[in-house]
Amino acid sequence: MMKIEKMLSKTQLTFTIIQSQIGVGLLSLPYVVHKHAKHDGWISGLVAGLGVFFLVFIMWLLGKRFPNDTIYDYSSKIVGKYIGNFISFLYVLFFFIVTIFVVILAISVLKKWILTFTPPYVLILFIVGIGMYLAKENLKVIGRFFNFACVLIVVLIFLEFCSYKYVNYKYLFPIGQTGAKNILLGAHDTLVSMLGFEFLLVLFPFVKGNPKSILKCSTLAISFVTLLYTFFLITSYMSFSSAEIEIVPEPILYLLKALSFQVVERLDLIFLSIWVVPILTSVVTYLYLSSFGISRILKLKNHNKTTIMIGILISAICFFVPQDETFLSNFGTYVSYTSYLFIFIIPLILLIISILRKRKEIGNPYEV
């Protein structure tokens, strides 16, 4: 069990989940969701938030039954050593693949908007290098950085509010015209952009708080991210007509690019410069999850060496991964549908089996 001074406080848990969820996918989210839900995409954001809460609740029920273990530990206790290790390996592989996707997606956006002539390998080394530097630390250190990084979200919200001088609320009407099916399809796109909440599968035993307080903090984090995403969706849909948003792949940045003031120009570059921090927190999250998982499977004392090993491997793979839009789209589709196996199906199956087999442990994650 981790020493108590290296555990997360409830406040740090909240901000860690927030930063884990917010990532580079938000920049193109209004465009992606609009393909299905049109200007009802903001409703999709709210529906996705409810879906995330349901998934987190399943993870919380699992954590409550095994308050001193991560998913890498209790999966073996529920289904046996060999199947449990196989499940742990699948999670490590999934987190590894998501890390690669986040890195190449971030590079694609950065090269398109602010670092056009910078070689891709420089950006790869920068993003993965900083990710390795933070991910090799304990959760307390990571939580403190995520806590600090959340301050920047206020700046991003302020920059987005600057565009409200030119919005047209009539673009949001009529509400619900696209139908429930398309709204649900849009909710799928939004939910995938909110990935990161599965961090709770590992965070649970490292929080100084009882299960009820962990659920409250998780709910608060999910609610904030849901409202934040809905805010960005509504802002984009009030700023662009349906015809316009269909040809604008990053509506949030294009919206800010059109604004200028006497003292400040190119708000989109300021926004994106700050947005690099949430990109890095996403990389740190998934790099930590994969390296921590390997250290648990191999029974290592810490995950320092595995973080460096995985970071080097990710960098090497990213050097040769195509950067074109078609590949990124196909890669994103693969990640989005595969993610349901790890955020819903496997946790639900483990929960059901643990109940049927009456597998449960007594203990409080905050007691050492």
Side-chain angles (χ1 to χ4, degrees):
M1 190 65 190
M2 183 179 287
K3 293 181 178 180
I4 195 164
E5 65 268 14
K6 294 185 178 180
M7 297 174 70
L8 294 174
S9 67
K10 288 177 284 188
T11 302
Q12 289 173 334
L13 171 65
T14 303
F15 287 122
T16 297
I17 295 177
I18 289 174
Q19 282 294 336
S20 300
Q21 286 190 260
I22 299 174
V24 69
L26 177 58
L27 299 178
S28 59
L29 182 63
Y31 169 78
V32 174
V33 175
H34 186 270
K35 292 180 180 179
H36 295 115
K38 304 304 178 184
H39 275 70
D40 287 328
W42 64 274
I43 303 178
S44 298
L46 296 175
V47 174
L50 293 175
V52 171
F53 174 77
F54 172 72
L55 297 172
V56 166
F57 187 69
I58 293 175
M59 298 175 187
W60 176 79
L61 289 175
L62 262 176
K64 186 180 178 183
R65 297 183 71 86
F66 300 91
N68 298 316
D69 296 322
T70 69
I71 191 169
Y72 298 120
D73 304 311
Y74 58 67
S75 57
S76 297
K77 296 179 180 180
I78 295 173
V79 295
K81 178 180 177 180
Y82 296 106
I83 298 178
N85 284 338
F86 179 69
I87 291 174
S88 297
F89 173 76
L90 289 179
Y91 268 97
V92 169
L93 182 62
F94 170 69
F95 294 141
F96 178 80
I97 292 173
V98 174
T99 309
I100 294 174
F101 176 67
V102 172
V103 171
I104 62 174
L105 187 60
I107 291 171
S108 175
V109 174
L110 291 174
K111 282 190 64 65
K112 181 188 297 185
W113 283 89
I114 57 176
L115 298 171
T116 306
F117 300 107
T118 303
Y121 71 87
V122 175
L123 297 178
I124 292 171
L125 294 176
F126 169 75
I127 294 173
V128 178
I130 294 179
M132 290 167 55
Y133 178 76
L134 283 171
K136 68 181 179 63
E137 300 294 337
N138 60 63
L139 282 173
K140 185 73 172 181
V141 175
I142 295 174
R144 284 173 177 168
F145 175 76
F146 283 15
N147 200 344
F148 168 76
C150 278
V151 177
L152 299 176
I153 296 177
V154 178
V155 181
L156 299 179
I157 294 174
F158 171 76
L159 291 175
E160 193 71 2
F161 265 120
C162 293
S163 66
Y164 268 70
K165 181 180 179 180
Y166 306 101
V167 299
N168 184 353
Y169 70 90
K170 294 181 180 179
Y171 284 153
L172 298 177
F173 296 96
I175 297 175
Q177 185 182 29
T178 55
K181 179 182 177 181
N182 289 320
I183 290 175
L184 289 175
L185 289 173
H188 157 74
D189 297 323
T190 309
L191 190 149
V192 171
S193 293
M194 291 182 176
L195 285 178
F197 56 86
E198 64 272 24
F199 204 176
L200 188 64
L201 292 168
V202 172
L203 288 177
F204 201 99
F206 303 122
V207 180
K208 290 184 285 186
N210 56 43
K212 287 185 179 180
S213 64
I214 292 175
L215 181 61
K216 288 180 181 178
C217 293
S218 302
T219 302
L220 180 62
I222 294 166
S223 300
F224 176 82
V225 173
T226 300
L227 293 176
L228 180 68
Y229 274 46
T230 304
F231 165 70
F232 278 106
L233 288 169
I234 289 176
T235 303
S236 298
Y237 294 145
M238 288 196 301
S239 303
F240 297 98
S241 66
S242 291
E244 290 171 333
I245 206 165
E246 288 178 355
I247 58 174
V248 180
E250 285 99 16
I252 296 172
L253 295 178
Y254 278 99
L255 177 61
L256 294 173
K257 184 178 181 180
L259 302 176
S260 62
F261 300 93
Q262 290 183 346
V263 179
V264 181
E265 290 189 3
R266 295 302 301 272
L267 289 179
D268 57 309
L269 299 185
I270 298 175
F271 183 96
L272 197 54
S273 298
I274 298 174
W275 197 255
V276 170
V277 177
I279 292 174
L280 291 173
T281 58
S282 296
V283 174
V284 171
T285 296
Y286 287 104
L287 186 56
Y288 177 87
L289 287 171
S290 54
S291 60
F292 180 82
I294 290 181
S295 68
R296 284 301 174 111
I297 294 173
L298 299 178
K299 310 295 182 183
L300 302 178
K301 291 183 179 180
N302 56 62
H303 65 287
N304 293 353
K305 294 181 179 180
T306 55
T307 302
I308 296 173
M309 177 186 69
I310 291 179
I312 293 174
L313 185 58
I314 288 173
S315 299
I317 293 175
C318 289
F319 287 151
F320 302 100
V321 170
Q323 302 290 326
D324 59 277
E325 295 293 332
T326 302
F327 177 81
L328 283 174
S329 178
N330 294 336
F331 197 177
T333 301
Y334 166 78
V335 171
S336 65
Y337 287 105
T338 304
S339 64
Y340 286 102
L341 175 65
F342 299 96
I343 64 177
F344 175 57
I345 297 176
I346 292 179
L348 181 61
I349 292 175
L350 289 176
L351 178 62
I352 293 173
I353 293 176
S354 67
I355 294 174
L356 293 177
R357 291 187 173 184
K358 298 181 180 179
R359 300 290 173 85
K360 185 179 181 180
E361 294 185 354
I362 299 175
N364 294 317
Y366 57 91
E367 291 182 353
V368 180

